[in-house]
Amino acid sequence: MTKFTRFSLAMMLTLTTCVALAAPPAKQTPSSEQDIKAALSGGVPGDRWKEGLLFEGVKPMPWLKSAANWFPGTEEIQPEEMRVTFMGTSPSIRPGQMNTSIFVELGNGDKFVFDMGEGAVSNYVAARVALNQINHVFITHLHVDHFGSLPYLWMFGTWAGGWHEQLTVHGPSGRTPEYGTQAMVDGMKKMLGWHIDAFSVFPVGKGWDIKVNEFDFRDNGGVVYEENGVKVTHWQRSHAKDGASGYRLDWNDMCFVWTGDGRPSELDIKYAKGCDLYVTEMQAELMEISSGVQGVPPFLGRYTVDTHHTPAYAAGYLANQIKPRMFMTTHMAFDPYQNEESVAEVREHWKGPFHFGAPDGIVVNMTKDLVWVREGILPDFPNNRSPQFDFSNGQLVVPLPPTTREEIQEPFVREQQIDPKKYYPEGYHPVLLEDWPVKSDLVVPLDTMPPSLTNGMGEEWRLKQKNLEKLGKE
Ligand SMILES: [Zn+2]
Ligand SMILES: [Zn+2]
């Protein structure tokens, strides 16, 4: 035993002794009812006046572990709940603000991604979302800050267990076919040719069968998706070029809107009217200051906003027309020098509940009665969550990889690999897994799997069963 551990042990023993010897607190005479009331509710509005966020229905739910912060993996989504997390919040990518992406989770187990900007994957990982849980991505338009993470999500999501359900990309058509979502995905497939073939030495299953649901961008109010009581509709946004859309998701008598990018328009009011959670992009009117800070010529900022975006005054105007239970803005710089100004501009028109959907990790919990917004605490060095599987059939099925190294690599370079005996220490002889160990799909009954795997990979499936059961009972 080293000197140090002996010392710590002695300390611990002393501490334990102290705790054991401490007397229970003595009982004292209670204060008067009046004093207790004055101390516990003094300065608290009650029904007497309104302060800051005391709008009706804006309140933390009892099942939240903390009203101030959200810690990923510590709260189960409730059967009736919608949870919305901002995974990317800015058109200018930087640590703390990845490109735009919004994650919507429903109490029935469904999950949807709205836009998938560059870098956003890191926040999904930090929020303990396994990449194979993402099966539906709705792209508002084809500016790269709204879909840049798609290649990574597709390739590594397949590697990480995306074998049984294909990835579906929903998005608008363009005015001509080459500008539509299908054309973008076709181009992405081409760009990923090497990667797809390379990763085909792994299990793939349905992973490579990416599906595109391209809708006519002019079909305002059209339904993009309708399943399990979830309906997603779309409308046109004015974003300098045809083929930009806003989305509205309706489920369980609740509604979420993400406008994507665009100029304020009468269509926004028409299709988002009365929605519970209305999220729009926003740019503050600070061209001179922000050009001073960022070094961008003011006319470039002005021209970009006036042709493409929603000024903060307009955001407030729209909110006041739409009258959501919670209004949020994202796709914006979250900077001390402009946050107060942004709020002031929004407040010119909208006096109701308002919160920034920025920086990354802001999370919204919503039920029919309550809505609450918190800052999520996303770790810098998270580990991946284990892939999540539907274990209804009592099995884990691992598809046979479509190809082998021999098929995609000439022998020469493999033969140049250093003999492992030269670098492994003496007496250490790992059995290298150089060939896929089985010749067909691997089917593993759950009861033959180590509990650590069954538990980790079945978490979401079990939660979904539990919630569906509760929903069915009500
Ligand atoms: Zn954008
Ligand atoms: Zn855009």
Side-chain angles (χ1 to χ4, degrees):
M1 200 183 261
T2 64
K3 234 181 190 171
F4 175 75
T5 44
R6 238 180 295 142
F7 173 73
S8 326
L9 215 87
M11 286 286 287
M12 268 164 61
L13 283 169
T14 324
L15 257 159
T16 327
T17 325
C18 288
V19 170
L21 289 182
K27 200 162 184 177
Q28 299 184 43
T29 320
S31 305
S32 73
E33 212 175 300
Q34 205 182 356
D35 282 357
I36 292 174
K37 205 174 162 194
L40 296 187
S41 68
V44 173
D47 294 328
R48 292 166 290 177
W49 73 90
K50 284 231 177 268
E51 63 181 24
L53 278 169
L54 267 185
F55 294 98
E56 201 163 328
V58 180
K59 225 182 184 176
M61 296 76 173
W63 57 84
L64 307 184
K65 301 278 189 239
S66 151
N69 294 114
W70 173 64
F71 300 91
T74 61
E75 291 170 13
E76 285 182 351
I77 189 158
Q78 302 297 303
E80 305 271 0
E81 188 180 19
M82 182 187 287
R83 185 165 68 191
V84 176
T85 314
F86 291 80
M87 300 291 195
T89 55
S90 167
S92 306
I93 189 168
R94 55 183 183 170
Q97 286 203 282
M98 297 299 157
N99 280 166
T100 300
S101 183
I102 306 177
F103 188 44
V104 177
E105 297 168 274
L106 307 179
N108 68 2
D110 286 354
K111 299 177 191 325
F112 304 96
V113 166
F114 288 87
D115 285 334
M116 197 59 189
E118 195 62 79
V121 166
S122 65
N123 287 324
Y124 282 88
V125 172
R128 289 189 55 71
V129 180
L131 295 186
N132 80 334
Q133 292 181 273
I134 301 176
N135 301 122
H136 289 279
V137 180
F138 295 78
I139 305 287
T140 55
H141 63 293
L142 296 174
H143 275 145
V144 75
D145 61 310
H146 294 255
F147 74 92
S149 271
L150 211 49
Y152 185 93
L153 172 71
W154 183 28
M155 292 298 99
F156 282 83
T158 296
W159 179 82
W163 311 322
H164 304 302
E165 200 177 332
Q166 60 204 117
L167 178 65
T168 302
V169 179
H170 308 261
S173 61
R175 202 190 311 159
T176 51
E178 75 263 37
Y179 292 128
T181 303
Q182 179 71 57
M184 179 275 282
V185 171
D186 290 345
M188 176 173 75
K189 279 185 191 164
K190 216 167 169 188
M191 175 179 87
L192 292 170
W194 192 93
H195 194 138
I196 291 171
D197 202 36
F199 264 26
S200 296
V201 299
F202 296 119
V204 168
K206 291 183 183 168
W208 293 160
D209 308 339
I210 192 167
K211 212 163 110 184
V212 179
N213 173 24
E214 180 178 299
F215 54 84
D216 177 1
F217 76 89
R218 295 182 192 87
D219 177 27
N220 289 305
V223 177
V224 187
Y225 176 96
E226 195 164 16
E227 243 173 89
N228 296 334
V230 183
K231 190 161 121 180
V232 180
T233 47
H234 69 95
W235 72 95
Q236 267 173 285
R237 303 294 330 277
S238 173
H239 194 43
K241 179 173 171 62
D242 278 334
S245 302
Y247 290 112
R248 171 185 176 128
L249 181 149
D250 284 276
W251 170 74
N252 192 28
D253 289 333
M254 285 186 287
C255 159
F256 155 82
V257 158
W258 164 228
T259 62
D261 296 358
R263 296 287 295 160
S265 122
E266 298 295 340
L267 293 173
D268 304 341
I269 299 170
K270 182 172 175 191
Y271 292 104
K273 190 103 188 164
C275 193
D276 301 85
L277 177 60
Y278 170 58
V279 185
T280 186
E281 61 120 340
M282 177 180 84
Q283 316 297 322
E285 291 281 330
L286 288 169
M287 299 309 157
E288 186 169 348
I289 301 175
S290 57
S291 81
V293 173
Q294 299 175 349
V296 175
F299 65 83
L300 192 55
R302 190 77 254 176
Y303 176 66
T304 305
V305 172
D306 296 350
T307 50
H308 288 71
H309 292 292
T310 301
Y313 288 111
Y317 175 86
L318 284 167
N320 197 43
Q321 299 294 314
I322 288 159
K323 302 227 179 328
R325 283 165 56 204
M326 177 60 72
F327 174 47
M328 297 183 78
T329 54
T330 188
H331 194 277
M332 56 183 269
F334 183 83
D335 282 317
Y337 79 88
Q338 57 172 307
N339 287 348
E340 292 84 347
E341 186 61 25
S342 301
V343 175
E345 291 173 14
V346 166
R347 286 294 187 217
E348 182 73 19
H349 293 284
W350 173 241
K351 319 292 182 195
F354 171 54
H355 207 294
F356 289 158
D360 294 355
I362 297 291
V363 62
V364 187
N365 293 74
M366 188 164 78
T367 59
K368 280 175 211 167
D369 311 314
L370 299 175
V371 57
W372 191 244
V373 184
R374 291 176 291 170
E375 189 191 345
I377 305 301
L378 303 182
D380 283 342
F381 304 102
N383 289 117
N384 286 327
R385 183 181 195 183
S386 50
Q388 296 298 305
F389 295 108
D390 182 335
F391 282 150
S392 309
N393 57 2
Q395 302 178 323
L396 171 70
V397 179
V398 186
L400 181 70
T403 190
T404 61
R405 278 198 307 172
E406 286 67 24
E407 286 175 78
I408 62 171
Q409 187 189 47
E410 292 175 4
F412 170 75
V413 72
R414 214 164 44 247
E415 284 158 11
Q416 302 308 306
Q417 291 184 21
I418 295 171
D419 181 353
K421 287 193 196 102
K422 292 186 179 169
Y423 51 80
Y424 282 127
E426 223 183 294
Y428 179 71
H429 303 294
V431 180
L432 300 192
L433 200 57
E434 293 181 299
D435 296 300
W436 192 252
V438 288
K439 297 274 172 275
S440 57
D441 288 0
L442 179 70
V443 182
V444 191
L446 290 191
D447 52 17
T448 62
M449 268 188 354
S452 61
L453 291 188
T454 328
N455 293 342
M457 299 192 302
E459 268 177 5
E460 281 294 316
W461 170 70
R462 280 190 299 274
L463 175 61
K464 185 175 169 174
Q465 302 309 307
K466 191 168 87 178
N467 277 357
L468 287 180
E469 203 173 297
K470 276 196 218 164
L471 274 172
K473 272 181 193 157
E474 275 154 25

Short mmCIF file of all heavy atoms in Angstrom, two decimals, residues 7 21 32 42 50 55 115 126 164 176 190 213 222 231 251 265 286 294 316 332 358 386-387 413 437 450:
data_model
loop_
_atom_site.label_atom_id
_atom_site.label_comp_id
_atom_site.label_asym_id
_atom_site.label_seq_id
_atom_site.Cartn_x
_atom_site.Cartn_y
_atom_site.Cartn_z
N PHE A 7 -2.93 7.27 3.74
CA PHE A 7 -3.37 8.56 4.27
C PHE A 7 -4.87 8.76 3.99
O PHE A 7 -5.65 9.09 4.88
CB PHE A 7 -2.54 9.68 3.64
CG PHE A 7 -3.01 11.06 4.00
CD1 PHE A 7 -2.80 11.55 5.29
CD2 PHE A 7 -3.68 11.85 3.08
CE1 PHE A 7 -3.23 12.83 5.62
CE2 PHE A 7 -4.12 13.12 3.42
CZ PHE A 7 -3.89 13.62 4.69
N LEU A 21 -21.06 10.03 14.77
CA LEU A 21 -21.20 10.63 16.10
C LEU A 21 -22.14 11.84 16.12
O LEU A 21 -22.60 12.24 17.18
CB LEU A 21 -19.83 11.03 16.66
CG LEU A 21 -18.93 9.84 17.08
CD1 LEU A 21 -17.63 10.35 17.66
CD2 LEU A 21 -19.66 8.93 18.09
N SER A 32 -44.58 31.45 13.65
CA SER A 32 -46.02 31.68 13.47
C SER A 32 -46.38 31.47 11.99
O SER A 32 -45.54 31.59 11.11
CB SER A 32 -46.36 33.12 13.87
OG SER A 32 -45.88 34.00 12.88
N GLY A 42 -43.05 35.79 0.27
CA GLY A 42 -42.74 37.22 0.17
C GLY A 42 -42.01 37.52 -1.13
O GLY A 42 -41.06 36.83 -1.49
N LYS A 50 -47.55 40.23 -12.62
CA LYS A 50 -46.90 39.32 -13.57
C LYS A 50 -45.44 39.69 -13.70
O LYS A 50 -45.09 40.85 -13.78
CB LYS A 50 -47.56 39.43 -14.94
CG LYS A 50 -48.89 38.73 -15.03
CD LYS A 50 -48.90 37.81 -16.25
CE LYS A 50 -50.19 37.01 -16.35
NZ LYS A 50 -50.12 35.72 -15.69
N PHE A 55 -46.11 33.72 -18.06
CA PHE A 55 -47.25 33.65 -18.94
C PHE A 55 -47.99 32.38 -18.58
O PHE A 55 -47.40 31.41 -18.10
CB PHE A 55 -46.79 33.61 -20.39
CG PHE A 55 -46.12 34.86 -20.84
CD1 PHE A 55 -44.74 34.95 -20.86
CD2 PHE A 55 -46.86 35.96 -21.25
CE1 PHE A 55 -44.11 36.11 -21.28
CE2 PHE A 55 -46.24 37.12 -21.67
CZ PHE A 55 -44.86 37.20 -21.69
N ASP A 115 -33.97 19.83 -41.01
CA ASP A 115 -32.68 20.33 -41.47
C ASP A 115 -31.54 19.60 -40.76
O ASP A 115 -31.70 19.13 -39.62
CB ASP A 115 -32.55 21.86 -41.31
CG ASP A 115 -33.37 22.60 -42.38
OD1 ASP A 115 -33.59 22.03 -43.46
OD2 ASP A 115 -33.78 23.76 -42.10
N ALA A 126 -23.91 14.30 -28.60
CA ALA A 126 -23.83 14.83 -27.23
C ALA A 126 -25.17 14.71 -26.51
O ALA A 126 -25.22 14.58 -25.28
CB ALA A 126 -23.38 16.29 -27.26
N HIS A 164 -31.97 -1.68 -40.51
CA HIS A 164 -33.31 -2.25 -40.68
C HIS A 164 -34.33 -1.24 -41.18
O HIS A 164 -35.41 -1.60 -41.58
CB HIS A 164 -33.78 -2.88 -39.37
CG HIS A 164 -32.81 -3.90 -38.86
ND1 HIS A 164 -32.46 -5.00 -39.61
CD2 HIS A 164 -32.08 -3.98 -37.71
CE1 HIS A 164 -31.56 -5.72 -38.93
NE2 HIS A 164 -31.31 -5.11 -37.79
N THR A 176 -36.83 23.43 -61.70
CA THR A 176 -36.50 22.40 -62.68
C THR A 176 -35.90 21.23 -61.91
O THR A 176 -35.38 21.42 -60.81
CB THR A 176 -35.48 22.93 -63.72
OG1 THR A 176 -34.39 23.52 -63.01
CG2 THR A 176 -36.12 23.98 -64.62
N LYS A 190 -23.36 10.04 -55.62
CA LYS A 190 -22.21 10.04 -56.52
C LYS A 190 -20.96 10.47 -55.74
O LYS A 190 -19.91 9.84 -55.82
CB LYS A 190 -22.48 11.01 -57.66
CG LYS A 190 -21.93 10.55 -58.96
CD LYS A 190 -22.48 11.36 -60.11
CE LYS A 190 -21.67 11.02 -61.35
NZ LYS A 190 -22.00 11.88 -62.47
N ASN A 213 -38.36 11.66 -50.61
CA ASN A 213 -39.76 12.04 -50.77
C ASN A 213 -39.77 13.51 -51.19
O ASN A 213 -39.80 14.41 -50.37
CB ASN A 213 -40.50 11.83 -49.45
CG ASN A 213 -41.92 12.37 -49.50
OD1 ASN A 213 -42.51 12.49 -50.58
ND2 ASN A 213 -42.47 12.69 -48.34
N GLY A 222 -49.75 21.23 -48.71
CA GLY A 222 -49.68 19.80 -49.05
C GLY A 222 -49.09 18.98 -47.91
O GLY A 222 -48.31 19.48 -47.10
N LYS A 231 -48.73 14.38 -38.67
CA LYS A 231 -48.92 14.94 -40.01
C LYS A 231 -47.94 16.08 -40.20
O LYS A 231 -47.84 16.97 -39.36
CB LYS A 231 -50.37 15.43 -40.13
CG LYS A 231 -50.76 15.80 -41.55
CD LYS A 231 -52.27 15.81 -41.68
CE LYS A 231 -52.74 17.18 -42.12
NZ LYS A 231 -54.20 17.23 -42.26
N TRP A 251 -49.39 16.75 -34.09
CA TRP A 251 -49.53 15.45 -33.40
C TRP A 251 -50.19 15.69 -32.05
O TRP A 251 -49.86 16.67 -31.37
CB TRP A 251 -48.15 14.80 -33.19
CG TRP A 251 -48.20 13.61 -32.29
CD1 TRP A 251 -48.70 12.37 -32.59
CD2 TRP A 251 -47.74 13.54 -30.93
NE1 TRP A 251 -48.57 11.54 -31.50
CE2 TRP A 251 -47.98 12.22 -30.47
CE3 TRP A 251 -47.14 14.46 -30.07
CZ2 TRP A 251 -47.65 11.82 -29.18
CZ3 TRP A 251 -46.81 14.05 -28.78
CH2 TRP A 251 -47.07 12.73 -28.35
N SER A 265 -43.80 36.35 -44.77
CA SER A 265 -44.81 36.29 -45.83
C SER A 265 -46.19 35.97 -45.27
O SER A 265 -46.32 35.40 -44.18
CB SER A 265 -44.36 35.25 -46.88
OG SER A 265 -45.31 34.25 -47.04
N LEU A 286 -28.79 45.04 -37.19
CA LEU A 286 -27.57 45.60 -36.61
C LEU A 286 -26.45 45.57 -37.64
O LEU A 286 -25.34 45.14 -37.35
CB LEU A 286 -27.15 44.77 -35.39
CG LEU A 286 -28.01 44.90 -34.14
CD1 LEU A 286 -27.63 43.84 -33.13
CD2 LEU A 286 -27.88 46.29 -33.52
N GLN A 294 -17.78 41.66 -37.41
CA GLN A 294 -17.45 40.52 -38.26
C GLN A 294 -16.58 40.90 -39.47
O GLN A 294 -16.07 40.02 -40.16
CB GLN A 294 -18.72 39.84 -38.78
CG GLN A 294 -19.60 39.31 -37.66
CD GLN A 294 -20.91 38.76 -38.17
OE1 GLN A 294 -21.27 38.95 -39.34
NE2 GLN A 294 -21.64 38.09 -37.30
N GLY A 316 -41.13 39.40 -34.85
CA GLY A 316 -42.10 39.76 -33.82
C GLY A 316 -43.48 40.00 -34.42
O GLY A 316 -44.50 39.60 -33.84
N MET A 332 -29.53 32.22 -36.03
CA MET A 332 -29.17 33.58 -35.64
C MET A 332 -27.87 33.54 -34.85
O MET A 332 -27.54 32.53 -34.23
CB MET A 332 -30.27 34.17 -34.75
CG MET A 332 -30.56 33.31 -33.52
SD MET A 332 -31.90 33.89 -32.48
CE MET A 332 -30.98 34.93 -31.35
N ALA A 358 -31.41 29.27 -29.53
CA ALA A 358 -29.96 29.39 -29.71
C ALA A 358 -29.40 29.74 -28.34
O ALA A 358 -30.09 30.38 -27.54
CB ALA A 358 -29.62 30.46 -30.73
N SER A 386 -25.25 3.60 -27.73
CA SER A 386 -25.27 2.36 -28.50
C SER A 386 -26.42 2.42 -29.49
O SER A 386 -27.43 3.08 -29.24
CB SER A 386 -25.42 1.15 -27.57
OG SER A 386 -26.50 1.36 -26.70
N PRO A 387 -26.26 1.74 -30.64
CA PRO A 387 -27.36 1.76 -31.62
C PRO A 387 -28.63 1.22 -30.98
O PRO A 387 -28.56 0.36 -30.10
CB PRO A 387 -26.87 0.82 -32.73
CG PRO A 387 -25.71 0.07 -32.16
CD PRO A 387 -25.14 0.92 -31.07
N VAL A 413 -1.09 -4.15 -51.22
CA VAL A 413 -0.95 -3.26 -50.07
C VAL A 413 -1.28 -3.98 -48.76
O VAL A 413 -0.75 -3.68 -47.71
CB VAL A 413 -1.76 -1.96 -50.28
CG1 VAL A 413 -3.25 -2.21 -50.15
CG2 VAL A 413 -1.31 -0.87 -49.32
N PRO A 437 -17.02 -12.84 -39.54
CA PRO A 437 -17.00 -14.18 -38.92
C PRO A 437 -18.10 -15.14 -39.38
O PRO A 437 -17.99 -16.33 -39.11
CB PRO A 437 -17.15 -13.87 -37.42
CG PRO A 437 -17.73 -12.50 -37.35
CD PRO A 437 -17.31 -11.78 -38.59
N PRO A 450 -25.27 -10.87 -24.03
CA PRO A 450 -24.91 -10.30 -22.71
C PRO A 450 -25.90 -9.20 -22.35
O PRO A 450 -26.26 -8.40 -23.22
CB PRO A 450 -23.52 -9.71 -22.94
CG PRO A 450 -23.05 -10.23 -24.25
CD PRO A 450 -24.24 -10.68 -25.03
#
